[in-house]
Amino acid sequence: MTVDDLYIVNYCHKNCTPLQNIMRLPQDQAFDLAREMAAQNQNTTAFYRFADFENYYPRRLQADKLLFDRFTALGGKPKEKHPLSFVLQGSAYLHDWFGGGHITKFKLSPICEDAISFSYGDSMSALQRDGFLTVLTKRILLQAIAGYEGGVEDFLINAEKQYRYIEVQVWDDACLPSVADETNETETA
C-alpha cells in the first residue's frame, strides 16, 4: 500500500443523509433536529450525543473553532466553519457506532490540500480528555507517514492502536470528488 491508495470514509446512520453536519444549521434548528433524531433512535449509539445535545453542542462548537483556527494557522483555507467528518482508511469501531449504515469513500489524493485537515483520534474527545488537539495538514500527515518506519500499513495499524482512528475534517465540500464510492451496508451485508 502507498499513500496514493489512501481514502477517507464517512459513516452515516441509515436514518440520516450522508455528508451532512448538524452544526451547520442555525442553533434552534440544530436543537430541534437533535431532539427529533434522538427520540426516533433511542437505542442507537450514534444518537446518544443528540439526546444530550445541551452538553454536546457547546463542546462541538469549541472543538470546531479550535480545529478551524489551527488549520487556518497552518495555511488551510476553510470555506465552512464546521467540517464534514471522515476517518482515514475507515474504522470498524465507527461503522458499528453508526449502526452499519451508509458508508461514503473518497480517494484522498485528489482532495485539495488547503481544504482538508486531520487529527489523531476523535477531535472533540481528545480536546475534552487532554485539553489540547493536534491538527495536521495533508502535507504534514503524508510526511509523517513517509517518515514512519515500516510504511503506510504499519503507520495505520499503530494509529488505530493509539487513537482508534485518524479523524479527517473536510472544510470545503466542493473539493470532494464528484463521484464517491457509496454503499449502504444495511442493504449489502
Side-chain angles (χ1 to χ4, degrees):
M1 173 185 290
T2 71
V3 293
D4 291 332
D5 298 317
L6 294 174
Y7 55 90
I8 62 172
V9 181
N10 174 271
Y11 295 99
C12 179
H13 190 270
K14 64 183 177 183
N15 295 341
C16 293
T17 304
L19 304 177
Q20 301 293 308
N21 183 336
I22 195 168
M23 300 303 291
R24 290 182 179 179
L25 295 172
Q27 184 174 343
D28 59 335
Q29 289 179 23
F31 271 81
D32 289 345
L33 180 59
R35 274 190 290 278
E36 178 184 327
M37 296 305 288
Q40 292 174 359
N41 301 281
Q42 292 181 14
N43 297 320
T44 306
T45 309
F47 294 103
Y48 292 165
R49 61 196 163 145
F50 290 172
D52 187 28
F53 207 63
E54 292 77 21
N55 289 310
Y56 174 85
Y57 188 82
R59 291 192 330 250
R60 184 75 261 167
L61 279 177
Q62 177 189 24
D64 283 0
K65 179 165 180 9
L66 182 59
L67 286 164
F68 181 96
D69 291 346
R70 294 225 175 127
F71 182 51
T72 302
L74 291 168
K77 295 181 173 86
K79 298 281 193 256
E80 300 284 346
K81 292 201 182 293
H82 303 284
L84 294 179
S85 296
F86 294 81
V87 292
L88 188 64
Q89 287 301 105
S91 165
Y93 167 77
L94 287 177
H95 179 62
D96 186 52
W97 199 77
F98 281 98
H102 302 281
I103 298 173
T104 308
K105 297 179 183 182
F106 295 98
K107 293 287 283 182
L108 174 61
S109 56
I111 299 174
C112 315
E113 183 166 329
D114 60 358
I116 190 169
S117 61
F118 305 83
S119 59
Y120 292 116
D122 181 86
S123 58
M124 194 170 83
S125 295
L127 184 58
Q128 293 297 306
R129 181 185 61 246
D130 304 329
F132 68 92
L133 181 60
T134 300
V135 177
L136 309 153
T137 63
K138 186 176 177 181
R139 182 181 48 79
I140 293 170
L141 176 69
L142 294 179
Q143 286 175 343
I145 293 171
Y148 191 80
E149 191 174 319
V152 176
E153 291 173 7
D154 288 339
F155 179 88
L156 294 170
I157 289 168
N158 186 54
E160 184 177 351
K161 285 179 187 173
Q162 281 190 274
Y163 310 105
R164 278 207 169 134
Y165 52 83
I166 296 175
E167 185 181 278
V168 181
Q169 303 90 29
V170 175
W171 298 94
D172 182 356
D173 304 358
C175 280
L176 292 172
S178 59
V179 177
D181 175 14
E182 185 175 336
T183 61
N184 184 327
E185 291 297 312
T186 57
E187 293 176 5
T188 60

